[in-house]
């Protein structure tokens, strides 16, 4: 896409690539922190950010534009 990644963005891209490659080859993503297994009763998700983290607060204001547009109704 023509983007030049540097510093933390480059590290994040490498971590994402490594995690998806491990998932594709082994069926288990290796990530830091550990990628949470799916549990329909637990809304924990992996959040690709700097630093990567897990969270249960996916709608903590990040999706306000989508919510205002009716995406969640």
């Amino acid at each position: 896409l023509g983007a030049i990644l540097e510093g933390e963005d480059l590290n994040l891209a490498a971590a994402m690539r490594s995690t998806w490659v491990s998932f594709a080859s082994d069926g288990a993503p290796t990530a830091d922190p550990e990628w949470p297994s799916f549990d329909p009763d637990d809304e924990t998700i992996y959040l690709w950010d700097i630093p990567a983290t897990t969270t249960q607060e996916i709608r903590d204001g990040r999706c306000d534009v989508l919510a205002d547009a009716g995406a969640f109704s």
Side-chain angles (χ1 to χ4, degrees), residues 32-36 44-48 51-57:
D32 182 27
E34 184 177 340
W35 192 286
T44 301
I45 61 163
Y46 197 88
L47 182 62
W48 289 107
T53 186
T54 57
T55 185
Q56 292 182 329
E57 300 297 324

Side-chain angles (χ1 to χ4, degrees), residues 37-52:
S37 296
F38 175 74
D39 180 346
D41 298 321
D42 180 5
E43 294 185 5
T44 301
I45 61 163
Y46 197 88
L47 182 62
W48 289 107
D49 206 345
I50 301 171

Side-chain angles (χ1 to χ4, degrees), residues 2-3 7 10 13-16 18 20-21 27 32 36 40 42 45 50 55 59 62-63 66-67 72-73:
L10 185 62
M16 292 174 76
S18 174
W20 285 113
V21 167
D32 182 27
D42 180 5
I45 61 163
I50 301 171
T55 185
R59 296 189 181 139
R62 297 169 215 225
C63 298
L66 295 173
F72 303 122
S73 50

